[in-house]
Amino acid sequence: MQPSEIQAYADAEPQSRKAGRPRSEDSHRAILDATRRLLTHMPVSKISVEAIAKKAGVGKTTIYRWWPNKQAVVMDAVFSQPAFHNILPASANAFEGIQAQLEKLFRQLAGKNGRMVSEIIGDAQGDPEALKSLIEIFFQQRYDALARYINEGKESAEFAKETDVEVAIDLIMAPVFFRLMTGQDFDQTFESQIPAMIRKALAA
Amino acid sequence: MQPSEIQAYADAEPQSRKAGRPRSEDSHRAILDATRRLLTHMPVSKISVEAIAKKAGVGKTTIYRWWPNKQAVVMDAVFSQPAFHNILPASANAFEGIQAQLEKLFRQLAGKNGRMVSEIIGDAQGDPEALKSLIEIFFQQRYDALARYINEGKESAEFAKETDVEVAIDLIMAPVFFRLMTGQDFDQTFESQIPAMIRKALAA
Amino acid sequence: MQPSEIQAYADAEPQSRKAGRPRSEDSHRAILDATRRLLTHMPVSKISVEAIAKKAGVGKTTIYRWWPNKQAVVMDAVFSQPAFHNILPASANAFEGIQAQLEKLFRQLAGKNGRMVSEIIGDAQGDPEALKSLIEIFFQQRYDALARYINEGKESAEFAKETDVEVAIDLIMAPVFFRLMTGQDFDQTFESQIPAMIRKALAA
Amino acid sequence: MQPSEIQAYADAEPQSRKAGRPRSEDSHRAILDATRRLLTHMPVSKISVEAIAKKAGVGKTTIYRWWPNKQAVVMDAVFSQPAFHNILPASANAFEGIQAQLEKLFRQLAGKNGRMVSEIIGDAQGDPEALKSLIEIFFQQRYDALARYINEGKESAEFAKETDVEVAIDLIMAPVFFRLMTGQDFDQTFESQIPAMIRKALAA
DNA sequence: AGGTAACCGAGACGGTACGTCACGTCTTTAC
DNA sequence: GTAAAGACGTGACGTACCGTCTCGGTTACCT
């Protein structure tokens, strides 16, 4: 599933148009663009729906018509960017796949994007609904990719048979986000040692 | 540094009392108690300083006199609880120490306390000041304990020599908080496999 | 002029029909009916064009195509009711005519209808356009009837010669609407004393 | 009762001040001033609480703290003006008193003030609460003055004994407000004939 | 019989204002 | 000199309607 698919919008079936004025593609785009532009200047917490509406030249109602709240707009704005698509290269073995996923994350979460994501995750704490949709939009595809590699590795005896897939996923993903949320940047040491440690941790 | 030290309050020296009405020890306690009681019923984001003041029977000014904002009160209320002290048992070797730290975390972060902590961490994203003080109050002592064990393990050749201490700390701590922040509870599998994986990851 | 004439609709000349779909008589009726039904449950100020459209099963556009705004719809809905036609019985002398007009008003403005009218008049304050059309639709015919009686009375020496017609009209109509707009209901005393007082006021 | 007395504010007893920051006399005045200034440029319906707050340099909350809604602010702003105090000169007989009251009204309601009052009365239709307080603030003192004159006139046989006081009050006040609310200005004819007609209407 | 113009419902759009809430500050009286 | 009480300016919230607009579709006249 790609980020953009969270929009019911994208699901519209071309042959059976509903009555009424169709949703404005321009406004939709303007809202997400404005949100992204605001996000580069200020933290999520400083952004208001009002500011987005004003910057996008759009009525506040139009935003609330399509997203339940600010968090949802921000998630959509951030994760619908092509840079956040999770297309991974083919990999020779299970560990290589995991490593590819990690490197993808390192690149996706470096710099401002990382800060945005950590704020989005932070915002979703204390709101189960937001957390659920965050997982659907962002985490699930990464979970799925990793689950495939881990199962592959278990079958090929590259990884230990008793490894629990979900626990392994946590072990792999966690350090990346923990760094982010404790305010540390990625560095060369981190990016090289974490995959190595994970390889050892999972090894048969 | 112990949690209670974040309170400027605690620094008052008893011998040099100024003239006038003394600070109210009662109010101080009432504020933290009220905050804790509110936290069991609702997420951090739904709590207001006004609500704390009302529940504590205290003026809002009194809160702002001693804490800079809501986040600080909440951190103080949560982390000053005895259950959050990080006193670890003596351990025979490095890995046992790490395991003790992990088990301490599992116990401290199970149930409502875990949810509170994840919300506090979430709230601190997007506010570098808050994040900094969160690390000082909560994370630093755990980092320090782990750093000791890791260095110990490196010296005794229990762990690989090339292991970077900071990376290792991230690897150890991260899965616990990642589970928390993605809305998953700890379970038996997680609590047993994570330490095992970490042992393998760090092994010489 | 009859109330229904406020409708541009009524002005359509049958011989010069334009091409295209004709106005839907059903929609027209449904809009006025829905408005009247809403008016019995809530004050004019609480009614929205959207609510009328929904209740009438009609698009908002259809309402705006035929009436410039909510006030106009409401006026039309209220004053196009047969109960608001101002057909007066023949009268032996001028005062009897005035009395007939007053009694007609007492009956037309008792109960809910009175409340609706007072709200319509209230709404028209601060909007000269609305006030003008209110006078055309509702007041003018009553003014005209009274003017006839007053002139008749002046000619027959029933009324004082120096009486200004417009002032006399105000004197006659005003108490009825003043009661309405100060929230007092009509009662027996009012309905009997007002005509008597007016007779004395106008007497030669 | 004077208009300004509608303010609970004015009722404060000087000797027993409540705890807490006292109401800001400056803000209070600024709000009413701003409202009056806005009223000279636009109808009541075009004024928003937001505009008043902005013009007064005051938070919207401060307005809502002391007045329940825009109508109440406007009433207070208009009727607390000295020009609306209803102090009448001593009068030799009952009719002279009534005439004095009428002339006071002619002067108070000429020009912009009249338009404001008609809008206020209009706005109060459809909101019984507003209507009630409008009567208390504005109409009641005029009712009371007239009631005194009418009773005086009945006792001195200047007026007919069977005259109902409330009906007489309506007869006297109504034409003034009816003119206002039907968009007609006062003129010389009106101002001279109405008192004369009322004298005849009430005469013994 | 077909074209076409005006109508219709549905409903999205850019706006304005609402009344509420919480923030963090300020200004009193009471102790 | 600190406390409580509580008013203050600020600014965002999410909602309700406004009056306009754009769709797909309908209807009845006028060739």
Side-chain angles (χ1 to χ4, degrees):
Chain A
M1 197 197 272
Q2 293 307 313
S4 61
E5 294 186 19
I6 56 162
Q7 311 148 32
Y9 185 69
D11 298 338
E13 301 175 14
Q15 71 273 24
S16 73
R17 284 288 294 283
K18 290 273 193 69
R21 181 174 177 172
R23 178 173 182 175
S24 160
E25 183 59 60
D26 284 357
S27 294
H28 178 84
R29 200 174 21 249
I31 289 163
L32 296 182
D33 280 356
T35 306
R36 278 189 284 263
R37 254 174 300 138
L38 287 169
L39 277 168
T40 62
H41 298 318
M42 51 180 68
V44 177
S45 58
K46 292 285 174 194
I47 291 178
S48 66
V49 174
E50 248 144 18
I52 295 172
K54 189 164 190 178
K55 187 142 200 148
V58 142
K60 232 193 326 178
T61 326
T62 303
I63 297 179
Y64 282 110
R65 207 189 323 274
W66 301 110
W67 294 273
N69 49 48
K70 186 181 67 177
Q71 288 170 35
V73 185
V74 169
M75 275 194 217
D76 204 352
V78 171
F79 295 131
S80 67
Q81 296 176 104
F84 274 100
H85 289 190
N86 198 44
I87 298 157
L88 300 174
S91 51
N93 58 35
F95 174 70
E96 249 179 45
I98 289 168
Q99 193 163 31
Q101 178 66 84
L102 279 170
E103 272 160 17
K104 190 104 201 167
L105 281 171
F106 293 152
R107 264 171 288 132
Q108 288 176 332
L109 301 175
K112 285 192 173 174
N113 275 339
R115 202 209 63 208
M116 289 180 203
V117 172
S118 80
E119 287 174 33
I120 289 171
I121 299 172
D123 248 36
Q125 307 305 313
D127 179 348
E129 211 58 49
L131 188 53
K132 197 182 139 214
S133 86
L134 172 60
I135 287 167
E136 282 170 13
I137 299 166
F138 179 69
F139 284 109
Q140 197 60 57
Q141 23 185 340
R142 284 145 183 97
Y143 285 175
D144 291 345
L146 288 174
R148 267 195 307 278
Y149 295 130
I150 293 163
N151 281 319
E152 213 177 289
K154 283 169 72 174
E155 277 166 28
S156 69
E158 190 179 345
F159 297 153
K161 285 219 158 48
E162 67 276 14
T163 306
D164 182 85
V165 178
E166 300 201 348
V167 173
I169 291 172
D170 286 337
L171 185 78
I172 296 163
M173 300 271 280
V176 178
F177 292 94
F178 189 73
R179 276 248 152 171
L180 224 52
M181 306 199 73
T182 51
Q184 310 168 75
D185 288 329
F186 305 142
D187 59 22
Q188 183 53 42
T189 313
F190 181 82
E191 293 190 8
S192 69
Q193 291 212 358
I194 283 290
M197 286 174 175
I198 285 167
R199 170 177 242 164
K200 286 168 68 184
L202 299 180
Chain B
M1 195 194 271
Q2 291 309 311
S4 61
E5 296 186 17
I6 58 166
Q7 311 147 34
Y9 183 71
D11 298 339
E13 300 176 14
Q15 70 272 30
S16 72
R17 283 283 294 280
K18 295 276 186 66
R21 183 168 174 173
R23 286 163 185 167
S24 162
E25 180 63 55
D26 284 356
S27 292
H28 181 253
R29 201 173 19 248
I31 289 164
L32 296 182
D33 279 356
T35 306
R36 278 189 285 263
R37 253 174 302 139
L38 286 169
L39 277 168
T40 63
H41 297 318
M42 50 180 68
V44 177
S45 57
K46 292 285 173 194
I47 291 178
S48 66
V49 174
E50 247 140 20
I52 294 171
K54 188 166 188 179
K55 185 140 200 151
V58 140
K60 243 195 318 180
T61 328
T62 305
I63 297 179
Y64 281 109
R65 204 187 319 275
W66 302 112
W67 292 273
N69 50 47
K70 185 180 69 176
Q71 287 169 35
V73 184
V74 169
M75 277 194 216
D76 204 352
V78 171
F79 294 131
S80 67
Q81 296 177 104
F84 273 100
H85 290 188
N86 198 44
I87 298 157
L88 300 174
S91 51
N93 58 33
F95 174 69
E96 250 178 45
I98 289 169
Q99 192 163 32
Q101 178 68 83
L102 279 171
E103 273 159 18
K104 189 105 202 164
L105 282 172
F106 293 152
R107 266 172 285 132
Q108 289 176 331
L109 300 175
K112 286 193 172 174
N113 275 339
R115 204 208 62 209
M116 290 180 202
V117 171
S118 80
E119 287 172 30
I120 289 171
I121 300 172
D123 244 39
Q125 306 304 313
D127 178 350
E129 213 58 49
L131 188 53
K132 198 182 138 216
S133 86
L134 171 61
I135 286 167
E136 283 171 13
I137 299 164
F138 179 69
F139 283 110
Q140 199 58 56
Q141 21 184 341
R142 283 146 184 96
Y143 284 174
D144 292 346
L146 288 173
R148 268 196 306 279
Y149 295 130
I150 294 162
N151 281 321
E152 212 177 291
K154 283 170 71 174
E155 279 164 26
S156 69
E158 189 180 345
F159 297 154
K161 284 221 158 50
E162 67 275 14
T163 306
D164 182 86
V165 177
E166 299 203 349
V167 174
I169 290 172
D170 285 338
L171 185 78
I172 297 163
M173 299 271 280
V176 177
F177 292 93
F178 189 74
R179 275 251 152 169
L180 225 52
M181 306 199 74
T182 50
Q184 310 168 75
D185 288 328
F186 304 142
D187 58 22
Q188 183 52 42
T189 313
F190 181 81
E191 294 190 8
S192 69
Q193 291 211 359
I194 284 290
M197 286 174 175
I198 286 169
R199 168 178 245 163
K200 285 167 69 184
L202 299 180
Chain C
M1 195 194 273
Q2 291 309 312
S4 60
E5 295 185 19
I6 56 163
Q7 309 148 35
Y9 183 67
D11 299 338
E13 300 175 14
Q15 69 273 26
S16 73
R17 283 288 291 278
K18 295 276 186 67
R21 179 175 177 171
R23 177 174 184 177
S24 162
E25 184 59 58
D26 285 356
S27 293
H28 181 250
R29 199 171 24 246
I31 289 164
L32 295 182
D33 280 356
T35 306
R36 277 189 285 263
R37 253 174 300 140
L38 286 169
L39 277 168
T40 63
H41 297 319
M42 51 180 68
V44 176
S45 57
K46 293 284 174 195
I47 290 177
S48 66
V49 174
E50 248 141 18
I52 295 171
K54 188 166 188 179
K55 186 141 198 152
V58 141
K60 241 194 319 180
T61 328
T62 304
I63 297 179
Y64 281 109
R65 205 188 322 273
W66 302 111
W67 293 273
N69 51 46
K70 185 181 70 176
Q71 287 170 35
V73 184
V74 169
M75 277 193 214
D76 203 351
V78 171
F79 294 132
S80 66
Q81 296 176 105
F84 274 101
H85 289 189
N86 197 44
I87 298 157
L88 300 174
S91 50
N93 58 33
F95 174 69
E96 249 178 47
I98 288 169
Q99 192 162 32
Q101 177 67 85
L102 279 170
E103 272 160 18
K104 188 103 202 165
L105 281 172
F106 293 152
R107 265 171 288 132
Q108 288 176 331
L109 300 176
K112 286 192 171 174
N113 275 339
R115 205 208 61 208
M116 289 181 203
V117 171
S118 79
E119 287 173 30
I120 290 171
I121 299 172
D123 243 40
Q125 307 304 315
D127 178 348
E129 212 57 50
L131 187 54
K132 199 182 136 214
S133 86
L134 171 61
I135 287 166
E136 283 170 12
I137 299 164
F138 179 70
F139 284 109
Q140 197 59 56
Q141 22 185 340
R142 284 147 183 96
Y143 286 174
D144 292 346
L146 288 173
R148 268 196 306 279
Y149 295 129
I150 294 163
N151 281 321
E152 213 178 289
K154 283 170 72 174
E155 279 164 27
S156 70
E158 188 180 345
F159 297 154
K161 285 223 160 45
E162 67 277 14
T163 306
D164 183 84
V165 177
E166 299 204 348
V167 174
I169 290 173
D170 285 338
L171 185 79
I172 296 162
M173 299 272 278
V176 178
F177 292 94
F178 189 72
R179 276 249 152 170
L180 225 52
M181 305 199 76
T182 50
Q184 310 169 75
D185 287 328
F186 305 142
D187 58 23
Q188 183 52 41
T189 313
F190 182 81
E191 294 190 9
S192 69
Q193 292 211 359
I194 283 291
M197 287 175 174
I198 286 168
R199 168 177 245 162
K200 285 168 68 185
L202 299 180
Chain D
M1 195 196 273
Q2 293 307 314
S4 60
E5 295 186 20
I6 56 163
Q7 309 148 33
Y9 184 68
D11 299 338
E13 300 173 15
Q15 71 274 24
S16 75
R17 285 287 292 281
K18 291 274 192 69
R21 181 175 177 172
R23 178 173 181 174
S24 160
E25 182 59 60
D26 284 356
S27 293
H28 178 84
R29 200 174 21 248
I31 289 163
L32 296 182
D33 280 355
T35 306
R36 278 189 284 263
R37 255 174 298 139
L38 287 169
L39 277 168
T40 63
H41 298 317
M42 51 180 69
V44 177
S45 56
K46 292 284 174 195
I47 290 178
S48 66
V49 174
E50 246 143 19
I52 295 172
K54 188 165 189 177
K55 186 143 199 149
V58 142
K60 233 192 327 178
T61 327
T62 301
I63 297 179
Y64 281 110
R65 206 188 325 273
W66 302 111
W67 293 274
N69 49 48
K70 186 181 67 178
Q71 287 170 36
V73 185
V74 170
M75 275 195 217
D76 204 352
V78 171
F79 295 131
S80 67
Q81 297 177 103
F84 274 100
H85 289 191
N86 197 46
I87 297 157
L88 300 174
S91 51
N93 57 34
F95 174 69
E96 249 179 46
I98 289 169
Q99 192 162 32
Q101 176 67 85
L102 279 170
E103 272 160 18
K104 189 104 202 167
L105 282 172
F106 293 151
R107 265 172 287 131
Q108 288 175 333
L109 300 175
K112 285 193 173 174
N113 276 339
R115 203 209 62 209
M116 289 181 204
V117 171
S118 80
E119 287 174 33
I120 289 170
I121 299 172
D123 248 36
Q125 307 304 315
D127 179 348
E129 212 58 50
L131 188 53
K132 198 182 138 213
S133 86
L134 171 61
I135 287 167
E136 283 171 13
I137 299 167
F138 179 68
F139 284 110
Q140 197 59 57
Q141 24 184 340
R142 284 147 183 94
Y143 285 175
D144 292 345
L146 288 174
R148 269 195 307 279
Y149 295 130
I150 294 163
N151 282 320
E152 212 177 290
K154 284 170 70 174
E155 278 166 27
S156 69
E158 188 180 347
F159 297 154
K161 284 217 161 46
E162 66 276 14
T163 306
D164 182 85
V165 177
E166 300 202 349
V167 173
I169 291 173
D170 285 338
L171 185 79
I172 297 163
M173 301 270 279
V176 179
F177 293 93
F178 189 74
R179 276 249 152 171
L180 224 51
M181 306 199 73
T182 52
Q184 309 168 77
D185 287 329
F186 305 142
D187 58 23
Q188 183 51 43
T189 314
F190 182 82
E191 293 190 9
S192 68
Q193 291 211 359
I194 282 291
M197 286 175 174
I198 285 167
R199 169 177 242 164
K200 286 169 68 185
L202 299 180

